[in-house]
């Protein structure tokens, strides 16, 4: 990771009701923003133009300006109920999606001022996770009742699967090349589907590929690397495990003993990994050597979410 440029920004948030912005290559905290006193930060995502940062928590969605000195949110999204668990942006920044324990995944029109909710999908159970397919029209969702959904935002067509009964889906992910979808549950299992599409159908076809018994405790996050060759799963068992997508065998295990690993993010070249854990420290790991090369210290409680996006292309 050629970390010499100012825009290599890591954002972290957690149980201390703050969001911190770091220079990824130095470990220096360059900005601290107040979140909501009644909530931890459940998820973070930067807008595609990198100028703003969205955060969600209990009954709240906030948008912050990364380019100003202001530490207060520039937009508060009104009327959201219960815990908002995930959010993310469409690649042009035209809309944002959020998922929550009010059973709903919402599409927010970000072009209008102020942003407004333009579309809603009801999962009929609390939604723990959602992610956008690289085709920018399908959203994968995971719910507490064990359902995995795929929803075409344009046509409203959807499909539901239940890979394991009596298990809550904690996270979902789709590989950047669009070939695989992963769903991770509170039993420590991660399910993989192969995705395929055809011009005659609105929705990708999901074909079961693999069940990985990944962790001894609940999985908290799963994410594919930018090159789609790796999948990371993080867990309450104190590890982040890296799986090769060619056969979904374990390639690396990173350990933070006695702590929960809440979130993770790859660098653009897929060679480095950031982790967020319940000891209040974010870490940067070199995957080839499994070495932790940098700590980001400053949070006073567990870090539950992080966001990192860089544009460096692998050689």
């Amino acid at each position: 990771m050629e970390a010499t440029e100012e825009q290599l920004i890591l954002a972290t948030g957690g149980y201390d009701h703050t969001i911190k912005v770091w220079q990824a290559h130095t470990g220096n905290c360059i900005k601290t923003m107040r979140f909501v006193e009644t909530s931890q930060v459940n998820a973070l995502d930067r807008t595609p133009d990198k100028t703003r940062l969205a955060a969600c928590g209990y009954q709240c969605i906030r948008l912050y300006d990364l380019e100003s000195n202001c530490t207060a949110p520039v937009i508060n999204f009104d009327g959201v109920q219960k815990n908002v668990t995930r959010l993310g942006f469409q690649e042009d920044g035209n809309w944002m999606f959020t998922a929550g324990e009010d059973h709903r995944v919402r599409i927010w029109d970000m072009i209008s001022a102020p942003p407004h909710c333009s579309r809603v999908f009801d999962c009929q159970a609390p939604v723990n996770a959602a992610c956008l397919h690289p085709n920018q029209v399908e959203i994968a969702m995971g719910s507490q009742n064990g359902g995995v959904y795929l929803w075409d935002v344009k046509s409203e067509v959807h499909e539901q699967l239940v890979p394991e009964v009596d298990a809550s889906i904690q996270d979902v992910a789709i590989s950047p090349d669009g070939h695989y979808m992963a769903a991770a549950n509170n039993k420590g299992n991660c399910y993989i589907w192969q995705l395929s599409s055809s011009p005659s159908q609105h929705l990708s076809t999901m074909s079961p590929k693999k069940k990985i018994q990944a962790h001894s405790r609940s999985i908290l996050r799963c994410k594919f690397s930018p090159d789609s060759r790796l999948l990371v799963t993080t867990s309450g068992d104190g590890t982040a495990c890296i799986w090769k997508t060619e056969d979904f065998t374990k390639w690396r295990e990173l350990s933070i003993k006695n702590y929960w690993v809440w979130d993770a993010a790859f660098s653009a070249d897929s060679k480095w990994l950031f982790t967020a854990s319940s000891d209040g420290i974010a870490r940067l790991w070199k995957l080839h050597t499994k070495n932790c090369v940098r700590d980001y210290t400053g949070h006073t409680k567990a870090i539950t979410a992080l966001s990192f996006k860089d544009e460096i292309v692998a050689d």
Side-chain angles (χ1 to χ4, degrees), residues 282-298:
R283 293 174 172 84
L284 175 62
W285 306 79
K286 187 172 184 177
L287 291 178
H288 189 70
T289 61
K290 296 194 290 186
N291 289 341
C292 176
V293 297
R294 189 164 294 116
D295 290 347
Y296 303 84
T297 56

Side-chain angles (χ1 to χ4, degrees), residues 6 8-10 21-30 294 296:
E6 289 297 318
L8 289 182
I9 296 298
L10 171 70
V21 179
W22 313 79
Q23 282 183 323
H25 56 292
T26 64
N28 293 336
C29 179
I30 54 179
R294 189 164 294 116
Y296 303 84

Side-chain angles (χ1 to χ4, degrees), residues 41-260:
V41 180
N42 288 329
L44 294 165
D45 195 28
R46 279 165 80 186
T47 54
D49 65 7
K50 298 186 179 179
T51 62
R52 296 186 293 179
L53 180 75
C56 62
Y58 181 71
Q59 297 191 340
C60 62
I61 305 164
R62 302 283 188 265
L63 195 66
Y64 297 86
D65 185 350
L66 291 173
E67 297 191 319
S68 77
N69 293 324
C70 178
T71 59
V74 290
I75 298 175
N76 292 342
F77 291 75
D78 294 327
V80 290
Q81 300 297 311
K82 300 192 178 179
N83 222 4
V84 183
T85 52
R86 291 289 191 277
L87 50 72
F89 289 96
Q90 179 261 357
E91 63 183 358
D92 298 321
N94 293 338
W95 51 267
M96 177 180 76
F97 66 88
T98 60
E101 292 181 356
D102 65 352
H103 300 191
R104 287 165 177 82
V105 173
R106 288 180 165 83
I107 304 295
W108 301 84
D109 181 350
M110 299 298 290
I111 299 172
S112 65
H116 71 274
C117 178
S118 61
R119 206 160 284 182
V120 179
F121 182 86
D122 187 348
C123 280
Q124 300 177 333
V127 187
N128 286 332
C131 72
L132 184 60
H133 190 294
N135 66 18
Q136 305 296 306
V137 295
E138 293 175 53
I139 293 178
M141 301 167 264
S143 67
Q144 286 181 20
N145 69 355
V148 177
Y149 302 80
L150 204 56
W151 174 41
D152 184 294
V153 175
K154 285 186 176 176
S155 69
E156 301 279 354
V157 174
H158 71 275
E159 190 173 329
Q160 179 191 1
L161 298 165
V162 181
E164 184 176 341
V165 294
D166 299 325
S168 170
I169 302 295
Q170 302 302 104
D171 203 13
V172 290
I174 296 176
S175 60
D177 62 12
H179 289 169
Y180 295 115
M181 179 174 74
N185 70 22
N186 63 341
K187 303 286 182 70
N189 296 323
C190 186
Y191 290 84
I192 309 293
W193 291 266
Q194 199 145 8
L195 298 179
S196 57
S197 60
S198 70
S200 61
Q201 62 192 48
H202 281 296
L203 207 59
S204 296
T205 300
M206 300 178 279
S207 307
K209 169 83 174 172
K210 183 102 174 177
K211 173 188 175 182
I212 307 170
Q213 292 175 305
H215 295 273
S216 59
R217 296 182 68 174
S218 176
I219 299 176
L220 301 170
R221 284 289 208 285
C222 61
K223 284 182 186 172
F224 287 95
S225 60
D227 65 7
S228 297
R229 291 179 180 176
L230 302 172
L231 171 71
V232 62
T233 55
T234 75
S235 171
D237 67 6
T239 66
C241 293
I242 320 290
W243 312 84
K244 288 188 171 184
T245 57
E246 62 183 12
D247 54 9
F248 290 99
T249 55
K250 189 191 289 188
W251 178 59
R252 292 286 186 268
E253 182 174 306
L254 311 175
S255 179
I256 305 168
K257 283 188 171 61
N258 304 317
Y259 292 104
W260 287 37

Side-chain angles (χ1 to χ4, degrees), residues 256-270:
I256 305 168
K257 283 188 171 61
N258 304 317
Y259 292 104
W260 287 37
V261 186
W262 275 100
D263 202 356
F266 287 94
S267 61
D269 62 9
S270 304

